[in-house]
Amino acid sequence: MSTTLALFIGASMIGLQQQPAQEPGTLVGQRPDGKPVLCPLESTRVHVDIAGFGARVTVVQKFKNSSAEPLEAVYTFPLPADAAVDSMRMKVGSRLISGSIKRREEAKAIYDAARNQGKTAALLDQERPNIFTQSIANLMPREPVEVEISYVQLLPYKNDEFEFVYPMVVAPRFNPKSVKDADKVSPPLVKRSGATISLTVNLDAGAPIKSMTSVLHQVNVTPVSQQARRVELKKRDEIPNRDFILRYGTSGEGIQGAFLTHADSKKGGFFSLVLLPPKQPKLAQIRPRELVFVMDQSGSQNGFPLEKSKELTLKMVDQMRPGDTFNVIAFSNGARKLWTQSKPNSPANRAEAAKFVGALEANGGTQFLPAIEMSLEPPMDSERLKLVVFNTDGLIGNEAEILQEIKKRRENSRMFTFGIGNGVNRFLIDAMSAEGRGAAEFVTLNQAAEPAVQRFLARTQTPILTNIGVQFDGVQVQEVVPNQPKDVFDGEPIVIFGRYRHAGHGKVKVSGMLGDQPWEKTIDVSFPATDQQGSAIASLWARRKIDDLTQTDYIAGLTNGHRSVVADQVTSLGLTFGIMTQWTSFVAVDERIVNVGGKMRKVRVPVDLTDGLSESYFLGMDSSGYPAGGFGGGGLGGGGGAGPGSTQSKAFTRGAVITGNRRGILAGVPPESEKELEEFKAEAREKAAFESRVAASLKLSKKTTLSVQIWVTKLTPELLKKLQAAGLKVGDTDKGLRLVFGEIAAAKLRKLAMVEGIRLIEEAKP
């Protein structure tokens, strides 16, 4: 396997050197209302070389300005959280410019200077471990610019399969007050952007391939040999609205592992060890458990995601052990428990849980912290192993707060996360399970729930390798990462990286507790003095070292505006090894001046609605990705099902009643034409219907004080003052989705609804 894996390490980038056929598509996208929107991103080409455990991925983004004026295009897009992004190049015409890694603030200064001078420039920033922003300055009319990004990663091995995932879309994120850069993690959303994507995978598995599945895309598979395949998207103009997931298994007795090294005259030597512990029989005595099922019922879960979450939860409830206790927590704007304390696994209690789960509806924000606090709150039963099962899409912007809270509260519990959807936040879902010492599972909307349930049951019943230790004899190693290898579940490998200073031969012993029995394995290893296999091992070590540093303090390690010792260490690693981090960026500048004066229009590249997210929730947004007026016809607030705006979620929708330029008509300004008179009559009828809906909802709620969430046209300090003057007690805001949360006396709701700038008022559920 190690010989095959070496192939990916030295793989050359190909994207900008090739001249593929022009891909179909348009530079003009489609807003939810059918109107066009400018999309300077024309297409993305992805080329993947997989060899054994490793992948080298090259991404080429083609930008083209179809307008008549110079543009600055800003594009937010995802990459895998564990990827080591080690190269960026820009092609303008026939000129090829290599990007340089710089401190983030230095790269921004270089980019800004080039932009103001009228030079074409590209800036690549990391906003989150899995979210990046590409900026292109002085994109001239009809002149294409291509930007190539390249990264390496190790592929996860689970359930006897390798998995390669290329994330294609960043879904809108819920951003509480703590997120200061919401616009960088929630790109503009449209129904159809006009951008396309093509993807090719050259796979050399190192052993005969016995199975292969593309989970969400139709593909063409061309056999090359018993162990090699070429995989391509069947549609070359595929819409980038869901993750590409390729799983494949190899014949034989599972994977055999690999030991890879790289030696550099300046940086020293690096190694990687991948080792799969043996399978063991189940324990005869199994500790009693407390299971807490946590369900995300926020607005992004509306429709299929929530139904899939319900299906998973109810199947796991039905397959608990006789001696288990359990509880269910649901969260959106807040969190609520089924019972104040967990109850025994009995038919009556399972039936009550099924009723609670079945009645859940999706609406509101995604306030994770109350759910984390509630699911991990003490006291914990010392006689039981506490398992927290968390179902979510993870579409939030405050990942650092969530991970830090799990780290603080986990004690002896274990957290198992289920990512529900076709474009979820894999970084958060993986990191939650890692910090919670559990395992992550990703369930797409077209997959049956039963296999995921069975894997969960197997993981919680089969011995796992804990207290893992690594010891080297005969060779001197340093900075082994992760510092403390995480517990390994059955069928998953141990993966470690490290550095060495001198060549030599020695042994490495890996030990731990397999279930309740000691386990160890000793391997002969050799550290060469010269570089024999390429440089990817060094980049991957640096990436894992950065992850290790980040985990010591998530707030310091994931917030690029927060300077700390962690930030300085991460910056040094990024500069030394030439890889992307929160504090290091790639910048490329074409020295030709193409736009004298540097004046241009800034355009944020819109992205497609993530496959599986409910149109009734998201397609009421305008071309900037925010709620728009109207909300009718099954759109946001249109009464199409149980989403926001239906009678089930008690939405108070204003429609077109008092929005836009016609507000003056409703204030008593006489109409100037027959057409305007008809519009006035229609709006008056809608206003009356609105008043009736408000009154009916108030009667239905029977509350003197309501918790509400309010969609607004533009979230400004002035509007917040108007809302407060109307009687709203503001509790929180989400700038990314332009939402305001708060409480108001029922008697003041009509006054609140008349504030200009409000598009939708909903009663927020806990």
Side-chain angles (χ1 to χ4, degrees), residues 48 84 338 380 428 437 457 482 514 543 545-546 678 701 716:
V48 185
L338 170 57
M380 294 189 182
L428 178 63
R437 298 176 303 167
L457 295 174
L514 189 62
R543 176 72 259 172
K545 180 66 175 178
I546 289 168
E678 291 303 316
S701 69
T716 64

Side-chain angles (χ1 to χ4, degrees), residues 445-475:
L445 301 183
N446 63 345
Q447 288 181 286
E450 188 61 34
V453 172
Q454 293 305 317
R455 288 192 291 270
F456 167 75
L457 295 174
R459 285 178 178 135
T460 56
Q461 294 178 16
T462 303
I464 57 177
L465 190 64
T466 60
N467 301 323
I468 299 172
V470 183
Q471 179 180 337
F472 288 84
D473 294 321
V475 290

Side-chain angles (χ1 to χ4, degrees), residues 442-646:
F442 295 91
V443 182
T444 60
L445 301 183
N446 63 345
Q447 288 181 286
E450 188 61 34
V453 172
Q454 293 305 317
R455 288 192 291 270
F456 167 75
L457 295 174
R459 285 178 178 135
T460 56
Q461 294 178 16
T462 303
I464 57 177
L465 190 64
T466 60
N467 301 323
I468 299 172
V470 183
Q471 179 180 337
F472 288 84
D473 294 321
V475 290
Q476 185 179 2
V477 302
Q478 57 187 6
E479 295 188 272
V480 175
V481 291
N483 182 45
Q484 174 56 55
K486 70 171 187 175
D487 296 344
V488 173
F489 289 83
D490 187 38
E492 296 180 1
I494 302 166
V495 180
I496 63 172
F497 291 85
R499 305 182 72 172
Y500 67 92
R501 289 196 175 278
H502 305 291
H505 300 276
K507 297 180 183 294
V508 56
K509 181 174 73 174
V510 182
S511 61
M513 294 296 295
L514 189 62
D516 57 357
Q517 298 295 320
W519 174 89
E520 68 175 47
K521 184 176 181 65
T522 301
I523 305 167
D524 292 325
V525 294
S526 178
F527 294 96
T530 58
D531 182 3
Q532 297 178 338
Q533 297 180 334
S535 63
I537 298 300
S539 295
L540 289 170
W541 172 84
R543 176 72 259 172
R544 293 299 174 93
K545 180 66 175 178
I546 289 168
D547 293 342
D548 227 34
L549 289 169
T550 299
Q551 289 168 10
T552 63
D553 185 344
Y554 285 106
I555 301 298
L558 292 177
T559 310
N560 57 34
H562 183 95
R563 298 306 302 184
S564 63
V565 173
V566 171
D568 292 338
Q569 292 173 322
V570 170
T571 301
S572 178
L573 285 165
L575 294 174
T576 301
F577 291 90
I579 62 175
M580 289 286 301
T581 72
Q582 290 282 90
W583 293 277
T584 54
S585 301
F586 276 103
V587 63
V589 177
D590 183 2
E591 291 302 325
R592 292 196 325 164
I593 294 177
V594 294
N595 180 24
V596 177
K599 291 184 178 181
M600 73 196 84
R601 180 158 64 102
K602 187 173 184 177
V603 176
R604 291 198 67 200
V605 175
V607 300
D608 295 273
L609 174 72
T610 304
D611 182 45
L613 292 186
S614 172
E615 290 193 9
S616 67
Y617 190 79
F618 285 101
L619 287 190
M621 296 183 177
D622 64 20
S623 61
S624 297
Y626 303 115
F631 299 127
L636 187 59
S646 69

Side-chain angles (χ1 to χ4, degrees), residues 552-755:
T552 63
D553 185 344
Y554 285 106
I555 301 298
L558 292 177
T559 310
N560 57 34
H562 183 95
R563 298 306 302 184
S564 63
V565 173
V566 171
D568 292 338
Q569 292 173 322
V570 170
T571 301
S572 178
L573 285 165
L575 294 174
T576 301
F577 291 90
I579 62 175
M580 289 286 301
T581 72
Q582 290 282 90
W583 293 277
T584 54
S585 301
F586 276 103
V587 63
V589 177
D590 183 2
E591 291 302 325
R592 292 196 325 164
I593 294 177
V594 294
N595 180 24
V596 177
K599 291 184 178 181
M600 73 196 84
R601 180 158 64 102
K602 187 173 184 177
V603 176
R604 291 198 67 200
V605 175
V607 300
D608 295 273
L609 174 72
T610 304
D611 182 45
L613 292 186
S614 172
E615 290 193 9
S616 67
Y617 190 79
F618 285 101
L619 287 190
M621 296 183 177
D622 64 20
S623 61
S624 297
Y626 303 115
F631 299 127
L636 187 59
S646 69
T647 55
Q648 295 177 357
S649 63
K650 302 187 187 73
F652 314 115
T653 179
R654 303 173 68 243
V657 178
I658 50 176
T659 61
N661 296 327
R662 299 194 187 95
R663 180 176 171 82
I665 297 177
L666 299 178
V669 178
E672 296 181 354
S673 65
E674 190 69 27
K675 179 181 178 182
E676 195 170 54
L677 177 61
E678 291 303 316
E679 290 174 345
F680 165 73
K681 291 179 179 178
E683 289 175 355
R685 287 193 296 270
E686 186 141 358
K687 181 182 178 183
F690 164 68
E691 293 279 350
S692 176
R693 285 195 296 274
V694 170
S697 297
L698 288 175
K699 183 178 179 180
L700 181 65
S701 69
K702 296 181 181 179
K703 297 176 182 177
T704 57
T705 302
L706 295 173
S707 293
V708 295
Q709 62 181 31
I710 305 166
W711 299 84
V712 299
T713 57
K714 188 175 182 181
L715 192 53
T716 64
E718 292 75 16
L719 180 57
L720 288 176
K721 289 180 181 178
K722 290 180 181 179
L723 297 179
Q724 290 170 331
L728 179 70
K729 182 180 179 181
V730 177
D732 200 357
T733 61
D734 179 11
K735 294 180 181 178
L737 293 177
R738 295 186 185 176
L739 273 170
V740 179
F741 302 95
E743 293 185 347
I744 189 168
K748 296 182 179 180
L749 185 61
R750 287 188 182 87
K751 181 179 179 182
L752 178 69
M754 293 300 111
V755 174

Side-chain angles (χ1 to χ4, degrees), residues 23 40 145 161 385 406 409 434 456 535 581 654 715 761:
E23 294 161 353
V145 173
E161 288 185 316
L385 174 64
I406 295 173
R409 294 176 177 269
F456 167 75
S535 63
T581 72
R654 303 173 68 243
L715 192 53
I761 303 174

Side-chain angles (χ1 to χ4, degrees), residues 73-123:
V74 180
Y75 174 45
T76 301
F77 64 100
L79 290 176
D82 62 345
V85 181
D86 55 8
S87 177
M88 186 264 269
R89 302 192 297 181
M90 177 176 68
K91 184 179 180 182
V92 184
S94 60
R95 299 176 303 285
L96 189 62
I97 301 100
S98 294
S100 300
I101 193 79
K102 302 287 184 183
R103 294 179 184 272
R104 184 173 178 129
E105 58 272 19
E106 182 183 356
K108 182 65 163 58
I110 293 172
Y111 173 82
D112 287 346
R115 179 190 60 193
N116 296 336
Q117 293 166 6
K119 299 175 181 177
T120 303
L123 176 68

